Amino acid sequence: MRFGNCHKIRHAGFSAMFGAPIPAIFRDQLCPEMLGKRQPNVPRWRATVQASYRFLPQWSASLALRHSGAQFRTLNNSDTHGDTYTGVSRFTVLDLRLRHQLSKTTSLALGVDNLSNQRYWNFHPYPQRSYFLQARV
């Protein structure tokens, strides 16, 4: 297969991570009513997909999509309203980052986390859209 501009493809990157644990309580002699319940604070599934592109030798940009599925905070799985204080909600957010390599050891980056400004919870509300500036020496 031949692409029209192989230079651009050479400077692109892609990564993906997917996790689907089966965190269940299989044995509990002190609380048998917990058998078969899902372990607290472990999402049903979690995924991250990231694409990056180096458009000049010192400049790169990346875009990431992060997802965390439904999860419980309590052992008996009775907390079904995740979008409130003490709850844990599912979320899907998009992050954007621009990076400039100043030297071999020094770089600057700026970006936006939660680009779509989604509201989600983990005991308290997560920050919504966040901007950052990063310097590494």
Side-chain angles (χ1 to χ4, degrees):
M1 181 184 278
R2 186 174 168 91
F3 294 94
N5 191 342
C6 292
H7 174 73
K8 287 185 178 181
I9 295 170
R10 242 187 319 207
H11 299 291
F14 180 82
S15 65
M17 180 279 301
F18 177 80
I22 305 172
I25 301 170
F26 295 110
R27 190 172 141 198
D28 191 335
Q29 293 175 350
L30 298 177
C31 297
E33 66 273 9
M34 300 299 164
L35 293 178
K37 301 291 184 184
R38 288 185 39 215
Q39 193 75 1
N41 301 319
V42 178
R44 188 172 298 269
W45 67 281
R46 171 173 259 167
T48 301
V49 177
Q50 180 178 350
S52 60
Y53 180 68
R54 185 167 41 112
F55 50 92
L56 290 172
Q58 299 87 7
W59 287 92
S60 64
S62 63
L63 183 67
L65 180 70
R66 296 181 291 129
H67 176 81
S68 182
Q71 54 188 298
F72 295 102
R73 169 83 55 206
T74 61
L75 274 173
N76 65 359
N77 299 167
S78 63
D79 52 333
T80 56
H81 302 290
D83 297 322
T84 183
Y85 283 98
T86 72
V88 184
S89 59
R90 66 181 56 139
F91 64 86
T92 302
V93 294
L94 196 60
D95 303 330
L96 182 64
R97 177 183 173 105
L98 180 65
R99 183 173 177 264
H100 180 66
Q101 190 72 38
L102 297 168
S103 70
K104 200 173 197 178
T105 59
T106 307
S107 66
L108 289 174
L110 60 97
V112 182
D113 288 339
N114 192 2
L115 196 60
S116 61
N117 205 27
Q118 183 180 355
R119 187 173 183 155
Y120 57 101
W121 301 78
N122 189 351
F123 194 75
H124 55 79
Y126 269 97
Q128 290 174 299
R129 183 178 302 127
S130 302
Y131 303 91
F132 69 88
L133 176 63
Q134 177 184 39
R136 288 195 177 182
V137 181

